[in-house]
Amino acid sequence: MTSKKNLTRFDYEKSAFEGWRLCLCKTGTTFARYFPDKKFDGSAKKSLAAAEKTLAELKTLLTGSKLVDGKLSASTIRKAEKLLADAV
């Protein structure tokens, strides 16, 4: 599997991590979350599906948000961080 925009595939044979990393930057604020295959029954497709779903929700949240002095508001950042934390 290859990486996609905002989603990077990690396959480290010598370490225990294999999975997807979601990373999105908007107006200087970076949001990141790992989706390990191990958490999704060892399936790269299931972890990718969860990462894509979370990315879509995050983009929707950030697209509709208002900027304060050219940056994301504190409440928007909290909502985005909660969305990432609650991602399955």
Side-chain angles (χ1 to χ4, degrees):
M1 297 187 139
T2 60
S3 297
K4 301 177 178 196
K5 185 171 179 156
N6 301 111
L7 295 172
T8 306
R9 177 73 187 163
F10 287 97
D11 286 318
Y12 295 118
E13 293 176 7
K14 294 183 181 181
S15 69
F17 183 77
E18 289 183 337
W20 292 90
R21 178 179 181 254
L22 178 153
C23 187
L24 181 66
C25 186
K26 172 114 179 179
T27 63
T29 305
T30 302
F31 302 98
R33 173 116 163 50
Y34 290 95
F35 293 84
D37 294 347
K38 191 174 187 178
K39 185 175 179 182
F40 296 93
D41 301 324
S43 172
K45 289 183 180 183
K46 288 181 182 178
S47 60
L48 175 60
E52 287 176 331
K53 179 183 175 221
T54 303
L55 178 61
E57 291 173 358
L58 184 61
K59 282 184 175 181
T60 301
L61 173 69
L62 297 179
T63 300
S65 65
K66 293 184 179 181
L67 301 179
V68 177
D69 295 327
K71 297 197 176 217
L72 294 171
S73 68
S75 63
T76 301
I77 293 171
R78 279 193 306 273
K79 287 178 187 176
E81 288 173 346
K82 182 174 180 354
L83 184 130
L84 289 174
D86 293 344
V88 175

